Amino acid sequence: MSWSITMSDRKRPEWAHENRVIKEWPLARLRDYSAPDADPDMIATVILPPQAGHDSSIIDFTADQSQVVVGRESGCHRIYCLDWIGATQETKDAGIDDYMAILRETAELLGGKVNLVGDCQGGWTATIFTALYPERVNTLAIAGAPIDFHAGEPLIRDWVDAIAPGGDMTIYRSVVEANNGVLPGRFLLDGFKALQPDQEFSRSIQLLANLHDAEHVERYRQFEDWFQWTQALPGVFYLWVVEHLFIRNSLIKGELVVEGRIVDLAAIECPLFLMAGQTDHITPADQVWALADYASTPASMIGRQSSTGGHLGLFMGHESLRNHWQVIFKEMAGLSTPTPDDDPEVLTDEPSQPVASKATSARKTPRRKSADVKPAAVSKPAEEAPDAEAAATRISTTRVPAKRTPTEESAASPKPKPPAVGSVGAAESATGIRRQTSPVEEPRSHED
């Protein structure tokens, strides 16, 4: 009975640390996690969580697994995050332009210029905004964000090919129509589970085997509360994402139109922090590294971090938070003060050979305070399951370089990659607090 109740008794996930909501829209809330003594002249940092039918609290998962708190403690003292609100009948027709409007208002509210940190879907949303409004973004960090949706070998490519052969959107549109214009989070969750149904069984058996281990049970509850509690996406927005990003790969081709303008990745010139997981089958590293090949950012100002974990571990895994996000946020903080005295001259490029030396790094110029940035004239906007992997022991912190396409070889404008079948979502099937492992596979903690 205890086993059955533990598996089925779910509650809404909670944010682990104290924060306050300072702005709310029908589609999102802006949460303030800033330090009490934060320098008001420091450029603010805003985290955009994943948006795949789950609660945004994954970035503040537990007391010791919080991306937003790591950012604050690593020097980004003015730090905020968006909290995506589930779609309703009132917001079912919201589209990408509405999310761009939220980011514009956020930047204006926080001083005119911000650092953006985007996880998974939040990553390409932040990237699109940066390309459209480069004057509003000081630095851009993306983690597990599929910028080139057709690069690498994502687990779900065959799945999409079966559901939407030749780019036929009929099934996707039918699901939205059958649910009165919204895409239920349960639809995404069930799809993730169907990819690897054995993981669901494995997780429940491991719970039974550890039912008298209070710590194991609590970890199970925390993860399942987040994983099983779903929220809907606006149907218009979801169908746009599937068609234009997953299937057509329009962002990387330079064909994506947002707010009536082409999204040109070459307009991005700010420092870039790119984060990928070596075992991420939802967003292979090549999909993330692709941004470096298309942006105009100097090589010395592109830092790559390669986590040993999978997709969800990028945002809340101990190894990622300790070994990678601390580095990213520390360097981001150095680039966010009113004077550039402590700016890093070369960003940490962990999984590769250094791409530039101090002698060849870009010359630094005094930075204007964020309050001096004037809003750009804009037209009014138009209208996962995660691979949280399980075992009682944590993964090794040994770093193994991830294969990537060197950005040094992309001085000339690269040609877009040939089109292929796109991906259907940004989270892979759930794995449990402990799962069955193959003879050559090390057991992993749910944190990764």
Side-chain angles (χ1 to χ4, degrees):
M1 183 177 294
S2 296
W3 179 45
S4 177
I5 292 174
T6 303
M7 286 195 299
S8 60
D9 185 18
R10 303 273 65 85
K11 64 179 182 179
R12 188 181 188 89
E14 299 177 349
W15 295 74
H17 294 84
E18 182 178 354
N19 65 86
R20 62 190 183 98
V21 176
I22 61 172
K23 178 73 175 179
E24 184 165 347
W25 302 267
L27 293 170
R29 305 177 189 91
L30 181 61
R31 294 181 179 271
D32 184 359
Y33 278 84
S34 300
D37 58 348
D39 181 353
D41 288 333
M42 185 179 210
I43 294 176
T45 297
V46 182
I47 301 178
L48 280 61
Q51 191 178 12
H54 293 91
D55 195 270
S56 300
S57 60
I58 191 63
I59 63 172
D60 188 26
F61 187 60
T62 65
D64 63 345
Q65 289 176 262
S66 175
Q67 184 186 27
V68 64
V69 170
V70 167
R72 184 177 66 198
E73 294 179 348
S74 299
C76 292
H77 299 141
R78 289 188 67 208
I79 191 162
Y80 305 78
C81 68
L82 286 169
D83 174 8
W84 308 121
I85 296 175
T88 65
Q89 285 301 299
E90 288 69 38
T91 59
K92 65 181 181 181
D93 294 325
I96 184 63
D97 290 1
D98 297 289
Y99 288 100
M100 292 296 103
I102 290 174
L103 290 180
R104 283 202 311 274
E105 290 186 40
T106 296
E108 291 170 5
L109 178 65
L110 300 181
K113 194 169 190 176
V114 295
N115 301 308
L116 290 182
V117 178
D119 297 336
C120 198
Q121 295 92 337
W124 57 252
T125 301
T127 299
I128 291 173
F129 181 81
T130 304
L132 291 176
Y133 302 99
E135 74 282 355
R136 293 185 177 274
V137 181
N138 182 55
T139 69
L140 172 64
I142 61 171
I147 301 303
D148 183 349
F149 287 84
H150 294 170
E153 298 181 357
L155 180 66
I156 50 185
R157 176 168 294 171
D158 291 340
W159 179 276
V160 177
D161 195 22
I163 294 178
D168 185 354
M169 294 280 294
T170 300
I171 292 181
Y172 291 109
R173 293 194 178 97
S174 297
V175 172
V176 171
E177 291 174 3
N179 288 278
N180 298 316
V182 303
L183 192 284
R186 175 61 59 177
F187 174 78
L188 293 174
L189 177 62
D190 289 344
F192 301 148
K193 291 180 178 179
L195 290 175
Q196 291 181 311
D198 60 301
Q199 299 295 345
E200 288 292 301
F201 177 76
S202 174
R203 187 162 67 256
S204 65
I205 293 301
Q206 290 299 331
L207 173 64
L208 180 61
N210 292 275
L211 198 57
H212 299 294
D213 182 341
E215 183 179 351
H216 182 100
V217 172
E218 180 58 24
R219 292 199 308 270
Y220 179 91
R221 286 184 185 276
Q222 288 176 329
F223 175 71
E224 290 297 308
D225 281 347
W226 177 81
F227 180 51
Q228 302 287 356
W229 189 281
T230 60
Q231 60 186 35
L233 275 66
V236 170
F237 175 66
Y238 176 75
L239 293 175
W240 179 88
V241 170
V242 173
E243 179 178 1
H244 294 282
L245 298 183
F246 296 163
I247 294 178
R248 296 187 181 181
N249 206 24
S250 298
L251 176 59
I252 209 71
K253 291 180 179 179
E255 301 171 353
L256 190 68
V257 177
V258 176
E259 294 187 331
R261 293 189 284 160
I262 290 289
V263 179
D264 182 8
L265 294 179
I268 299 176
E269 299 179 342
C270 66
L272 296 177
F273 301 90
L274 310 179
M275 174 78 161
Q278 295 174 21
T279 58
D280 186 350
H281 300 297
I282 294 302
T283 308
D286 285 346
Q287 295 190 0
V288 181
W289 303 153
L291 180 56
D293 295 329
Y294 289 81
S296 298
T297 303
S300 61
M301 286 291 104
I302 300 175
R304 299 168 187 77
Q305 296 287 321
S306 182
S307 168
T308 58
H311 191 72
L312 185 60
L314 288 172
F315 324 130
M316 46 79 81
H318 282 94
E319 189 264 349
S320 293
L321 295 174
R322 179 179 58 247
N323 294 348
H324 304 286
W325 283 110
Q326 285 187 11
V327 174
I328 291 173
F329 283 121
K330 182 177 180 181
E331 294 182 348
M332 184 176 288
L335 292 163
S336 302
T337 54
T339 58
D341 295 341
D342 297 327
D343 286 11
E345 294 185 343
V346 178
L347 300 186
T348 302
D349 203 18
E350 181 267 334
S352 66
Q353 296 297 320
V355 297
S357 65
K358 292 185 178 181
T360 60
S361 61
R363 182 167 56 91
K364 295 183 290 187
T365 57
R367 184 184 302 110
R368 290 184 296 174
K369 293 184 179 180
S370 57
D372 296 333
V373 179
K374 297 181 179 180
V378 296
S379 57
K380 293 184 179 179
E383 137 358 10
E384 337 269 0
D387 61 343
E389 302 181 0
T393 58
R394 296 181 181 175
I395 63 172
S396 167
T397 59
T398 302
R399 303 181 197 176
V400 180
K403 294 181 179 180
R404 66 179 182 87
T405 302
T407 56
E408 302 93 318
E409 298 176 0
S410 61
S413 300
K415 296 180 180 180
K417 294 178 173 59
V421 178
S423 51
V424 66
E428 77 187 284
S429 76
T431 58
I433 302 309
R434 181 182 295 167
R435 67 182 176 83
Q436 299 294 335
T437 56
S438 67
V440 297
E441 186 177 28
E442 292 295 328
R444 300 177 183 274
S445 168
H446 84 289
E447 70 209 36
D448 302 302

